[in-house]
Amino acid sequence: MNFELTEEQLAVQAAAREFAQKELKPGVIERDKHMTYPTEQIKMMGELGFLGMMVSPDYGGGGMDSVSYVLAIEEISKIDNSCSVIMSVNNSLVCWGLETYGNESQKAKYLPKLASGEWIGAFCLSEPEAGSDATSQRTTAIDMGDHYLINGTKNWITNGSSSKLHLVVAQSDVDKGHKGINVFIVEADSDGVTVGGKEDKLGIRSSDTHTIMYTDVKVPKENRIGVDGFGFKFAMKVLGGGRIGIAAQALGIAGGAYELATAYSKERAAFGKPISQHQAIAFKLADMATDIEAAKLLVYRAAWLKDMGMDYTMASSMAKVFASEAAMKHTVEAVQVHGGYGFVKEYHVERLMRDAKITQIYEGTSEIQRIVISREIIKNNNLYVPIFSSELSKV
Ligand code: CAA
C-alpha cells in the first residue's frame, strides 16, 4: 500500500478535531434539543475555510484535496452532524458542482461567496414524488426565450432557509425524459421562491431542512449550468462526490460513538472490574473498531480516487453504504455500552444514534447505493485492488 496522510492532511484533521471539541461540543445538546440553527458555528466554519475546502484559491477556496476534506468532515461529525451536513452540502454538492461544471462567469460571480460562507448553497433535487426515482422530476423549467420560468416543489432541502443560492434541478422537455432535465442557479431572494417551515427531525435537528416552492420564478438563461439537457448527469456526478462526504459523516458518527463507548467502559465498573474487561463489552468494542477501520479505508480510498481523477462512482457508493450501516449499528451498541446513561442526552451517544439514521437515507438510500454498485459490477465486471495504488487500482 502506498498511501499515507501528508503533513497538510494531518494538520487539517487536527484543526478540525480541535475546532469540533472547542467550538461545537459546548451547546450541541441544546441546539439539538431546540432545533437551533448553528449560526455562530457556521460563521466560524466559513472563517476557518471549512465551507469551501476544495474550491480553488482563485475563487477564494482552500484548494485542498478530497482526502483533507473527508478528514475534516469525519472529525466534525464526531460532535455535530448538523454542522457537518451543512458543510457537506455546501462543499461537495454546491461548490464542487459549480466549479466543475459552471462557466467562468458563474464561477467568478458565486464561488467566492460560497467558499467563504458569506452565502450558503442548497442542492434542490428531491421532490414529493421524486426521491430515489430522481428522473421523475415534476418541477418544470420552461424556456421563455431570454429566461426560464420555474414552477414546482422541492422537499427535504438541507440549508433550505439559510441558503442564498439554490441549485435547482427541473424538467425542461418532458418528451426527452432525463435528457430534458436542466439545473439552474437560482438566487433564494428571487420573486416566487417560498420556503416552508423547518422539519422537526429525528436527528441532525439543528440543520435547516425545508420544503421550497417555486412559483413562476424567472431565471436568466445564463444561470443554466452546462448545455441543454445536462441537468440529470450533473445531479448524478455531483451526488457521486457528495456521497463521499456523507460516508465521511457516517464514519465520524461511528468513530465518535466508539470513542465515547471506549472511554466510558474503562471508567465504569461492574462486578468488581471496569466493564471494558467483561468480554460482553470488550467484543462490542472490537467489532466497532474493526468496522470503523474498514469504513475508513473505503472512505479514504473513494476520496483518493477522486483526487487521482479516477472513476469513483462505485467506490463512493460502497463507502457510503458500508459507513452508514456501521454508524447505525455501532451507535446502537454505544448506547448499550452506556446502559441507562446512554439513553439520556448528557452522554451524547443517543444523539449520535439518532443522527446516524439519516446517513442511510440522504444523498441516496442504502438501497440506491446497492443499485449503483451492482450496476457498476455488471457494467465493468471489476473490483478495485489493491486499495491505493494508481497503477493497479482497478483489475
Ligand atoms: N454519472 C454520470 N451519468 C450517470 C450516472 C453517473 N454516476 N448515473 C446515471 N447516469 C446517467 C446514465 O448514464 C443515463 O444516461 P444515458 O441515458 O445518457 O446513458 C442517465 O443518467 C439515467 O440513468 P439511469 O437509467 O441509470 O437512471 P435511473 O432512473 O435508473 O436512476 C439512480 C439511477 C442511480 C437510481 C438515480 O436515480 C439516483 O441516484 N437516485 C437517488 C437520488 C438521490 O441520491 N437523491 C438524494 C437527494 S439529494 C440530498 O439528499 C441532498 C441533501 O440535501 C443532503
Side-chain angles (χ1 to χ4, degrees):
M1 185 168 104
N2 61 356
F3 181 84
E4 60 182 304
L5 296 178
T6 63
E7 288 295 313
E8 194 192 13
Q9 288 163 345
L10 288 167
V12 170
Q13 184 184 43
R17 186 174 177 89
E18 191 187 343
F19 171 74
Q21 294 289 338
K22 258 201 200 154
E23 307 292 349
L24 300 182
K25 197 167 183 183
V28 66
I29 294 173
E30 282 300 300
R31 290 196 297 276
D32 171 78
K33 192 170 170 186
H34 300 294
M35 303 190 343
T36 310
Y37 184 80
T39 309
E40 280 308 306
Q41 292 73 17
I42 291 299
K43 187 164 170 271
M44 273 187 264
M45 286 172 74
E47 288 161 1
L48 291 168
F50 287 126
L51 297 180
M53 291 184 70
M54 295 173 289
V55 173
S56 157
D58 297 344
Y59 302 109
M64 289 179 206
D65 57 14
S66 304
V67 172
S68 300
Y69 166 64
V70 297
L71 291 168
I73 292 242
E74 181 186 348
E75 290 305 323
I76 288 169
S77 303
K78 288 179 180 172
I79 307 294
D80 189 331
N81 287 287
S82 294
C83 286
S84 66
V85 71
I86 295 166
M87 171 182 174
S88 179
V89 168
N90 200 63
N91 273 282
S92 42
L93 297 182
V94 180
C95 288
W96 189 82
L98 204 47
E99 184 160 16
T100 309
Y101 299 110
N103 62 34
E104 192 43 49
S105 67
Q106 291 167 343
K107 292 195 265 192
K109 184 170 178 189
Y110 294 112
L111 275 176
K113 289 189 168 89
L114 291 163
S116 64
E118 181 190 339
W119 279 23
I120 296 290
F123 179 66
C124 305
L125 171 70
S126 300
E127 299 185 354
E129 288 169 273
S132 289
D133 184 7
T135 58
S136 299
Q137 295 288 308
R138 300 269 173 97
T139 298
T140 53
I142 304 304
D143 188 342
M144 305 297 283
D146 64 338
H147 66 274
Y148 282 89
L149 201 60
I150 300 192
N151 279 287
T153 300
K154 297 289 176 181
N155 64 352
W156 315 124
I157 304 304
T158 302
N159 301 338
S161 62
S162 59
S163 51
K164 295 216 170 131
L165 178 147
H166 303 167
L167 293 183
V168 181
V169 179
Q171 180 59 263
S172 294
D173 186 345
V174 78
D175 294 338
K176 290 187 180 161
H178 71 80
K179 291 190 167 77
I181 292 174
N182 280 309
V183 60
F184 300 92
I185 299 166
V186 177
E187 295 193 16
D189 61 4
S190 307
D191 287 345
V193 177
T194 312
V195 177
K198 185 171 179 169
E199 300 290 350
D200 186 352
K201 303 174 300 225
L202 175 72
I204 55 162
R205 286 173 54 76
S206 50
S207 72
D208 52 327
T209 309
H210 293 257
T211 293
I212 304 181
M213 281 77 71
Y214 299 88
T215 311
D216 290 336
V217 179
K218 275 173 104 171
V219 178
K221 267 235 154 115
E222 63 263 26
N223 282 24
R224 190 186 73 209
I225 298 180
V227 295
D228 190 22
F230 179 63
F232 190 71
K233 293 240 168 177
F234 173 92
M236 291 298 104
K237 289 283 184 197
V238 157
L239 281 166
R243 287 166 185 163
I244 302 175
I246 299 304
Q249 179 183 53
L251 173 61
I253 293 173
Y258 165 74
E259 287 175 16
L260 290 166
T262 306
Y264 180 83
S265 69
K266 286 181 176 172
E267 276 168 21
R268 171 76 179 177
F271 305 103
K273 56 184 179 182
I275 60 170
S276 60
Q277 290 181 26
H278 291 286
Q279 196 179 66
I281 300 299
F283 278 17
K284 286 190 199 302
L285 299 178
D287 288 347
M288 281 183 202
T290 306
D291 280 350
I292 289 166
E293 289 301 304
K296 240 180 224 181
L297 291 172
L298 285 172
V299 174
Y300 296 177
R301 186 190 62 183
W304 179 85
L305 286 168
K306 185 163 178 274
D307 288 335
M308 291 296 112
M310 294 162 77
D311 182 45
Y312 52 88
T313 309
M314 183 164 81
S316 86
S317 287
M318 283 179 167
K320 184 177 182 288
V321 75
F322 189 86
S324 62
E325 291 184 0
M328 195 67 252
K329 179 175 168 196
H330 294 306
T331 50
V332 171
E333 289 294 65
V335 169
Q336 192 69 16
V337 169
H338 281 75
Y341 294 101
F343 205 61
V344 295
K345 296 193 183 296
E346 195 186 331
Y347 284 77
H348 295 281
V349 280
E350 65 81 36
R351 186 184 70 260
L352 291 174
M353 183 181 81
R354 288 186 283 105
D355 289 347
K357 188 61 210 169
I358 192 62
T359 67
Q360 295 179 296
I361 298 172
Y362 58 19
E363 300 205 21
T365 60
S366 292
E367 292 74 16
I368 290 294
Q369 305 314 323
R370 288 184 169 92
I371 290 177
V372 174
I373 295 163
S374 57
R375 284 185 184 176
E376 288 290 311
I377 293 168
I378 293 158
K379 194 168 73 186
N380 297 319
N381 192 27
N382 60 20
L383 283 173
Y384 300 93
V385 257
I387 44 181
F388 292 117
S389 159
S390 52
E391 281 159 31
L392 285 168
S393 82
K394 264 190 162 189
V395 297

